[in-house]
Amino acid sequence: MKYVRIERPEPHVAIVRLDRPDRLNALSATMVGDLKAAFATLHRERGLRAIVLTGEGRGFCSGADLSGDPDHAPDAEGRGPVGHVYRSQEHLSELILAVHECEKPVIAAVHGAAVGGGLALALACDLRVADESARFGSVFIKVGLSSADVGTSYLLPRLVGPTRAAELMLTGRHFDAAEAYSWGLLNARVPAGEHLPAALELARSIATNSEYGVWMTKKGLWSGIGATSLRQQIELENRTQVLGTFTGNMAEAAAAFRERRTPTWRDM
């Protein structure tokens, strides 16, 4: 991969690092393809419990690459204006889905710019930490387009509420880590330069749990957010819990409690 690195700093945890610092990690078609490939690799990796997504250099991600460099999305080159733009839009949207639908919990470790597509990328993650240098913005409206783009209109209202999301999307204004934390958009707000250690600490806390537990908790959480009724979600929860008893981990947890030790989880 040209613009993305996968690092494995410790057992059960991976870092996906955007590595185009000279362009503030702007999302070129090649970088988007690299990120999709990275998440496809990690999506079903046995033993992996959590992924940290971060950016190299001075910022997380400055959004779509507007430099005009010739870098075409797959199946876009040679098409007419509508086809070219549509394929490019789909290419970026597929990345948001790849992050959000990854079976492993994804933690965004944000510093510097996270605007436009960079904000959408952070929103697609399950958890977010940011240092004091972080600046966010739903800035699509500032380039003459709609701020309802690449998942932002779905995720942002669910994370900060529709009233706040309406303000941020309609004005396109930037907001800092302090505001983001006060609205519940961030799990942690840390001093400058501490975003990656904070994200890794969160990843470790997740990684102490069982494969089945982490996997089904992420699935159940997002299913619950989209559920149309409490009864519908409880039916899913019931089946998930019954299935989980067959991993043997509930019995192991009870034994570990009695013996005052850490459980040794069985993988699926």
Side-chain angles (χ1 to χ4, degrees):
M1 293 180 286
K2 184 176 182 180
Y3 292 131
V4 172
R5 301 200 317 266
I6 298 176
E7 304 166 13
R8 301 177 188 277
E10 53 197 74
H12 309 304
V13 175
I15 296 173
V16 175
R17 190 183 297 269
L18 286 68
D19 192 15
R20 200 184 180 207
D22 55 314
R23 295 290 180 87
L24 277 176
N25 299 315
L27 293 167
S28 66
T30 297
M31 174 179 269
V32 170
D34 287 350
L35 281 166
K36 286 163 64 175
F39 277 92
T41 296
L42 300 173
H43 175 60
R44 293 277 174 87
E45 182 178 307
R46 298 299 303 274
L48 185 62
R49 297 286 185 274
I51 300 167
V52 174
L53 178 63
T54 195
E56 182 68 22
R58 294 182 294 116
F60 179 72
C61 176
S62 59
D65 186 354
L66 302 178
S67 67
D69 291 347
D71 185 6
H72 302 283
D75 196 33
E77 191 172 6
R79 291 183 175 272
V82 173
H84 187 280
V85 173
Y86 203 95
R87 290 301 192 200
S88 300
Q89 181 76 15
E90 284 185 325
H91 185 49
L92 181 53
S93 298
E94 287 164 359
L95 168 60
I96 302 303
L97 290 169
V99 174
H100 189 62
E101 295 176 353
C102 180
E103 288 189 350
K104 318 300 180 183
V106 185
I107 306 162
V110 180
H111 71 301
V115 297
L119 172 64
L121 197 55
L123 297 178
C125 297
D126 301 288
L127 305 103
R128 284 155 295 279
V129 302
D131 77 5
E132 296 290 358
S133 72
R135 294 293 180 272
F136 304 89
S138 179
V139 297
F140 312 99
I141 200 168
K142 293 298 188 183
V143 296
L145 298 175
S146 166
S147 275
D149 193 25
V150 289
T152 299
S153 63
Y154 180 89
L155 293 165
L156 190 60
R158 283 166 168 77
L159 294 170
V160 302
T163 302
R164 182 67 66 186
E167 175 212 336
L168 298 173
M169 293 174 69
L170 287 167
T171 65
R173 74 172 180 87
H174 290 82
F175 54 98
D176 61 18
E179 287 183 288
Y181 185 72
S182 72
W183 302 329
L185 185 60
L186 300 178
N187 298 89
R189 168 188 162 208
V190 296
E194 295 297 313
H195 56 293
L196 187 55
L200 286 170
E201 182 60 32
L202 197 52
R204 287 185 204 106
S205 297
I206 294 169
T208 63
N209 297 309
S210 70
E211 179 185 14
Y212 181 87
V214 172
W215 179 36
M216 285 299 175
T217 298
K218 172 164 178 171
K219 281 184 175 292
L221 170 69
W222 286 106
S223 172
I225 289 171
T228 58
S229 72
L230 174 60
R231 180 172 294 276
Q232 173 192 343
Q233 185 62 13
I234 284 177
E235 289 292 341
L236 176 68
E237 289 176 342
N238 289 345
R239 286 159 176 76
T240 301
Q241 298 299 64
V242 171
L243 184 62
T245 64
F246 289 91
T247 65
N249 283 323
M250 188 175 180
E252 164 60 12
F257 176 78
R258 291 192 300 269
E259 297 163 15
R260 299 184 180 181
R261 60 174 174 82
T262 301
T264 302
W265 302 123
R266 299 178 186 176
D267 290 338
M268 292 187 300

